[in-house]
Amino acid sequence: EVQLVESGGGLVPPGGSLRLSCAAFGFTFSDHYMDWVRQAPGKGLEWVGRTRNRANGYTTEYAASVKGRFTVSRDDSKNSLYLQMNSLKTEDTAVYFCVRESMGSYVWFDPWGQGTLVTVSS
Amino acid sequence: DIQMTQSPSSLSASVGDRVTITCRASQSISNYLNWYQQKPGKVPKVLIYAASSLQSGVPSRFSGSGSGTDFTLTINGLQPEDFATYYCQQSYTTHLTFGGGTKVEIK
């Protein structure tokens, strides 16, 4: 079964750091671009960032709201995706989802992990 | 980044109704448009990609149309399990932005 399982969420004070992890199962992780998407409580979906695969140099991209503070990385040997979050702000409070990008000309997100809650508060 | 605007933000409908949700992009995105469904407490699920292609396993009462800047998601014959929030997403650029969502509630 294709599955993504996030971990690492929790309560962190403003200005703090947190590292999220996502374990992938049931597919060739190294082939796919992988992304993080977040959803603030009661709000909509916001794309956070992406890492491309080895064939595309593991390059990354970020939403403007997190650029310079968040870092997406991956370890293909462990079938794992990471999100390092620094200089956290209260507005970063959200459920963070790990998602797999489809392969091909048209891109969509499937599957989604169950999400991990990050709360930034003093 | 491309801005995606959905309307309405919420609607009330009855079982059996035909429901239409619109999504507008701030610039042309050809047909690089996806639709997701999110039920309360659940993760989003892709319904339609490439503006009108139905994802495997999605009921045929769901359909998508449009190109350029204007898109629609139609549900023909709303079912109880369709009450949820729907999001559009553009995949024309590498920053895959979402619309704000449309909540479909029971009338």
Side-chain angles (χ1 to χ4, degrees):
Chain A
E1 179 191 1
V2 176
Q3 192 177 9
L4 298 169
V5 180
E6 302 96 334
S7 60
L11 176 63
V12 59
S17 298
L18 203 61
R19 189 195 196 208
L20 306 183
S21 299
C22 169
F25 303 92
F27 65 98
T28 306
F29 178 77
S30 59
D31 284 347
H32 287 264
Y33 295 10
M34 298 294 297
D35 296 57
W36 289 96
V37 175
R38 69 183 180 183
Q39 186 169 37
K43 302 297 184 181
L45 302 170
E46 180 186 16
W47 174 77
V48 172
R50 157 196 301 112
T51 174
R52 294 183 175 85
N53 56 15
R54 179 182 179 182
N56 289 278
Y58 295 128
T59 53
T60 55
E61 292 186 76
Y62 300 94
S65 58
V66 307
K67 191 172 184 179
R69 300 188 299 123
F70 288 14
T71 302
V72 179
S73 62
R74 64 193 294 163
D75 185 338
D76 289 349
S77 70
K78 296 182 179 179
N79 288 343
S80 292
L81 177 72
Y82 306 101
L83 181 65
Q84 177 67 44
M85 303 183 292
N86 299 329
S87 303
L88 282 161
K89 306 175 182 180
T90 55
E91 53 264 40
D92 294 319
T93 294
V95 174
Y96 285 73
F97 297 101
C98 165
V99 297
R100 182 186 73 172
E101 285 193 25
S102 61
M103 298 174 68
S105 301
Y106 293 94
V107 173
W108 63 90
F109 295 156
D110 181 59
W112 296 57
Q114 85 286 353
T116 188
L117 177 62
V118 172
T119 303
V120 184
S121 175
S122 54
Chain B
D1 287 359
I2 296 176
Q3 306 303 313
M4 306 300 293
T5 303
Q6 286 182 237
S7 61
S9 56
S10 66
L11 65 90
S12 295
S14 301
V15 172
D17 283 354
R18 180 181 184 182
V19 169
T20 299
I21 298 168
T22 64
C23 178
R24 175 165 288 176
S26 59
Q27 66 182 73
S28 177
I29 58 170
S30 184
N31 66 335
Y32 289 85
L33 192 283
N34 307 319
W35 289 99
Y36 296 85
Q37 176 194 63
Q38 186 178 30
K39 297 180 181 180
K42 302 295 186 182
V43 303
K45 164 189 167 183
V46 63
L47 300 175
I48 288 170
Y49 62 93
S52 60
S53 295
L54 204 63
Q55 176 71 330
S56 176
V58 174
S60 59
R61 63 181 179 272
F62 291 93
S63 64
S65 64
S67 67
T69 60
D70 295 315
F71 302 87
T72 60
L73 173 69
T74 300
I75 310 172
N76 278 302
L78 195 67
Q79 296 300 300
E81 60 267 30
D82 301 335
F83 292 94
T85 301
Y86 295 84
Y87 295 93
C88 62
Q89 177 199 37
Q90 65 83 18
S91 60
Y92 185 75
T93 66
T94 55
H95 290 201
L96 291 87
T97 44
F98 291 92
T102 297
K103 187 174 184 179
V104 176
E105 299 175 300
I106 302 173
K107 182 182 283 184

